[in-house]
Amino acid sequence: MTETAIVYGEQGDIGRYALAHCVNALAARGIETFAARAAFQIPADRENTCLYDLKKKWKKMAGDLPFFLETEETEGGRCPAVSLPCALVTAEGRTASKSPEGAGGSGPECPEAAGELDLLVAGSAGLEGMLRIGEEKGEILSRRFAPSFLRLIRASQEQIFALDTAAAARRAQIPVIRHVGQGGVFKALWDLSARTGRGLDVDLKKIPVRQETIEVCELFHINPYQLTSAGCFLLAAADGEEAAERLGRQQIRAQVIGRMRNDRDKIIRNGEEARFLDRPGPDEIWKIWQQE
């Protein structure tokens, strides 16, 4: 199995974020061992030192993380078609067990996904986006927020890799496990509905999102539920509260946010208000460059 992710940005760790998207998505499908390769591109007017720094950070990260079989760096360089540095990461993986693909919960195609299902979120919506905004716009944030607030943001770095969450969900026999990733929770909900042919009914206020994420998003007029969310998982199970308890016994927090419906309506509730979920648009992370 393979997963590919592209991440753009001025921060030096774009390879790290792209890798997180790949390995989390593979882990949701039952993958337990990984290999990854990366290619970096920079705008044509950038110095070679920019490319060198991206590759240097990738190599350092590869040595620090414990779950690779191997890492590989492929060709890259200046590209007139890009306006921001970008990392293209492809990860491959295989299961350690002999169970068929999908066993233990890998997606809505599972037979266990039929019937009435509660929806849960494990992790925090928009956390990855908050981290990237903090790195891209650190000077603006430092003028607005106290140093203690900025330290809270930086302390969340390791949460973008959430292989333990995917493994815990499989052990809890949760039939639907999907990494949220780019486009945020709203895109993940839309995609799940499309793949199952079923609707959903979600309480917006129950979707877990950190206060730091809310404040950073408000500053840049960004919707945290449409913001890239590496390390966050959308789950579905017949009894959501019981599934959350099983995860809690493994030190994984999950919140029931709603239910799937037997029609195709995609309803988002916010207090007394209710609306239909819109078709996903571009990830909200792009707004931080459009506002320049």
Side-chain angles (χ1 to χ4, degrees):
M1 299 182 196
T2 63
E3 286 283 343
T4 298
I6 303 176
V7 169
Y8 294 84
E10 297 289 356
Q11 74 272 19
D13 274 352
I14 53 176
R16 181 183 184 88
Y17 290 110
L19 178 67
H21 281 280
C22 291
V23 297
N24 286 329
L26 288 170
R29 297 162 63 188
I31 300 301
E32 299 170 358
T33 54
F34 308 91
R37 59 184 182 273
F40 299 98
Q41 290 185 329
I42 60 173
D45 60 352
R46 298 296 178 90
E47 298 291 335
N48 283 336
T49 52
C50 176
L51 187 63
Y52 172 79
D53 289 343
L54 291 170
K55 293 180 177 181
K56 182 179 179 181
K57 289 195 174 184
W58 170 264
K59 291 178 180 178
K60 182 180 186 304
M61 176 197 64
D64 292 342
L65 293 175
F67 48 75
F68 287 136
L69 290 177
E70 61 179 316
T71 58
E72 178 185 352
E73 176 191 313
T74 60
E75 291 299 319
R78 289 194 180 98
C79 177
V82 299
S83 59
L84 290 167
C86 72
L88 169 63
V89 173
T90 300
E92 301 175 353
R94 65 172 181 266
T95 56
S97 66
K98 296 182 180 180
S99 301
E101 181 180 350
S106 67
E109 303 82 4
C110 300
E112 299 92 332
E116 295 296 320
L117 291 176
D118 290 334
L119 294 167
L120 306 90
V121 168
S124 182
L127 182 140
E128 177 216 347
M130 173 195 69
L131 288 168
R132 289 173 59 187
I133 294 169
E135 295 173 8
E136 293 277 346
K137 303 296 181 181
E139 184 176 345
I140 295 175
L141 266 60
S142 65
R143 294 198 300 265
R144 177 67 178 267
F145 300 113
S148 58
F149 181 89
L150 300 178
R151 286 194 294 271
L152 281 176
I153 293 177
R154 291 191 292 269
S156 306
Q157 277 282 356
E158 297 308 313
Q159 295 180 34
I160 65 170
F161 291 99
L163 309 187
D164 54 342
T165 299
R170 292 196 304 275
R171 288 192 294 267
Q173 298 182 330
I174 294 175
V176 179
I177 309 168
R178 296 180 64 83
H179 183 238
V180 171
Q182 296 180 349
V185 171
F186 280 179
K187 183 178 186 300
L189 288 167
W190 180 280
D191 290 346
L192 178 60
S193 177
R195 292 186 69 175
T196 59
R198 300 174 63 186
L200 48 87
D201 195 319
V202 168
D203 186 340
L204 184 72
K205 294 182 178 179
K206 292 185 177 179
I207 299 175
V209 55
R210 292 176 55 143
Q211 185 60 34
E212 303 93 86
T213 301
I214 292 172
E215 296 194 33
V216 169
C217 287
E218 286 180 348
L219 181 60
F220 292 95
H221 308 289
I222 283 173
N223 185 335
Y225 308 106
Q226 295 172 244
L227 182 61
T228 186
S229 300
C232 183
F233 289 84
L234 176 64
L235 314 172
D239 187 331
E241 295 297 341
E242 181 184 2
E245 289 180 9
R246 292 199 299 268
L247 289 170
R249 290 194 288 270
Q250 301 180 68
Q251 286 71 54
I252 301 296
R253 295 183 62 182
Q255 173 70 43
V256 178
I257 65 168
R259 291 184 64 78
M260 300 195 72
R261 298 167 57 101
N262 290 324
D263 55 23
R264 292 182 179 271
D265 291 342
K266 306 173 187 66
I267 299 173
I268 303 293
R269 302 185 187 276
N270 186 8
E272 298 298 320
E273 298 179 2
R275 66 174 180 85
F276 290 110
L277 180 65
D278 295 328
R279 182 179 294 275
D283 194 293
E284 291 278 286
I285 192 72
W286 288 102
K287 287 185 177 180
I288 65 171
W289 296 294
Q290 293 169 353
Q291 295 172 15
E292 293 180 348

